[in-house]
Amino acid sequence: MYRFLLSRRWATIFLVALLLIPTMIRLGFWQYHRHEARVARNALIGENLKDAPVAFDSLSTPGKAIPGDQVWRAVTATGTYDAAHEFVIRQRTEPGGSSIGFFVITPLRLADGKGSVLVNRGWVDSPGDAASYPAVPAPPGGTVTATGRLRADETHASTGIVDRGGLPPRQFKLINSEAQAAATGATLLGGYLELAPSSGSSTPEALPDPEHSDIGPHMAYAIQWWLFTTLVPVGLVIMARREARDRAAAAAKAAAEAEEPELTPAP
C-alpha cells in the first residue's frame, strides 16, 4: 500500500525534510541565543546605569578599548570644552527617531591634565544639504563637569558603518577616539562620554537612556522555528496517508469500472 514511498519523488521529499529539520533547529537556537544576549545586555545596562557615577579617567586611558562590561557606566569628566576641535557625526537619528541629523562631538580637556575626552553633546538637525556644517550651539565656557554614560569607540565591526573618508571638513561617520587622536595629534582617552539629558541645555538635544526593558521577539521566534520542526514529520505522515488513500480510491474505481458488464445495444 505504501510502496510509492520508494519512488524518486518521495525520495526527494524525504531529502528536503531531512535538510529542513536541522536547519530549523539551528535557526531556533540562533534566535534563542539572540534572546539570551538581549536579556544579558538589558541586565548590564540596568546595573551600570544605576551605579553611582565614577570619573571617566578611572575607567579609561589614552588608546584603551572600553571593556564590554563597563559600557553604559555612569561617568563624569571635569575640564574645559575644546570647541576649536569640535566635529559632527553624520546620518544619526534624533532621539524621537523621525529625523536624520548629526551628533555633536566636543573634546573636553580634563582638568587633571590626563588628556581629553570626546563628549557626545547630543543631536542637531541637518542643514538641508549634504555638504554644509550644521548649526551647532557653542558648548559651555569655563570649567564644567560633564555627566553621562561611558561608551565604547564605534567601529565598522560594531556598527556596520563604513567610514570611507572624503567627507566635508569636521564631518565623520564614526565616533572613534583612536581615529581622532591620529588625525589631530591630541591625547584622547579611549571611548567617549554620552552626555546625560540632565547635564545641560536641550540643544543639542541630549540622548535618552537606552531602552533596557524590552526583551524583543527572539524567544517567540525560537519557539516558532522549533514548532515548525515538529510539523515536518507530521506533514510527511499526512501527505503519505493522503496519497495512499487517493491511490486506493483510484484503484477501487478502476476495479469497479473493469467489472461493469458491457451493455449491448438493442436490435
Side-chain angles (χ1 to χ4, degrees):
M1 183 177 181
Y2 286 93
R3 289 182 60 84
F4 62 85
L5 295 177
L6 301 176
S7 66
R8 179 177 298 179
R9 183 174 73 87
W10 272 93
T12 302
I13 292 173
F14 284 131
L15 178 61
V16 172
L18 289 174
L19 292 174
L20 282 176
I21 289 174
T23 299
M24 290 191 290
I25 290 174
R26 284 195 295 269
L27 287 170
F29 276 108
W30 172 60
Q31 289 290 348
Y32 177 70
H33 293 321
R34 294 187 69 187
H35 166 76
E36 287 187 318
R38 182 69 172 267
V39 171
R41 173 185 177 273
N42 288 350
L44 173 66
I45 293 173
E47 288 296 322
N48 285 351
L49 287 178
K50 75 180 183 180
D51 287 342
V54 298
F56 189 102
D57 56 11
S58 70
L59 300 176
S60 178
T61 56
K64 177 183 178 181
I66 302 300
D69 60 353
Q70 297 297 325
V71 176
W72 301 112
R73 280 290 303 270
V75 290
T76 62
T78 300
T80 55
Y81 279 115
D82 180 12
H85 292 96
E86 186 172 80
F87 59 94
V88 294
I89 303 298
R90 294 166 60 95
Q91 297 179 333
R92 296 306 173 103
T93 307
E94 68 162 323
S98 60
S99 299
I100 302 296
F102 298 83
F103 284 166
V104 179
I105 313 299
T106 311
L108 182 73
R109 293 196 188 100
L110 296 178
D112 57 17
K114 293 182 178 180
S116 297
V117 173
L118 295 181
V119 177
N120 183 352
R121 295 203 291 129
W123 182 90
V124 294
D125 203 358
S126 171
D129 63 86
S132 298
Y133 197 82
V136 177
T143 301
V144 298
T145 296
T147 302
R149 302 168 288 261
L150 177 63
R151 301 296 308 276
D153 285 320
E154 295 180 342
T155 63
H156 170 63
S158 65
T159 66
I161 299 172
V162 178
D163 196 356
R164 295 189 176 92
L167 298 174
R170 300 167 60 202
Q171 297 189 31
F172 299 88
K173 288 287 192 71
L174 297 170
I175 310 174
N176 187 285
S177 63
E178 185 176 353
Q180 290 298 319
T184 63
T187 301
L188 295 174
L189 278 68
Y192 65 97
L193 187 154
E194 186 176 275
L195 206 61
S198 60
S199 295
S201 65
S202 58
T203 16
E205 188 176 353
L207 306 179
D209 287 342
E211 165 60 42
H212 57 282
S213 60
D214 183 10
I215 62 173
H218 304 299
M219 177 58 81
Y221 290 159
I223 294 173
Q224 286 178 2
W225 280 118
W226 291 331
L227 286 176
F228 292 157
T229 303
T230 64
L231 292 178
V232 171
V234 173
L236 288 176
V237 171
I238 292 174
M239 288 174 61
R241 294 184 64 179
R242 181 177 297 171
E243 183 163 341
R245 185 173 62 248
D246 292 344
R247 285 173 175 267
K253 182 179 179 182
E257 290 175 350
E259 292 178 358
E260 288 182 359
E262 293 187 4
L263 298 177
T264 57

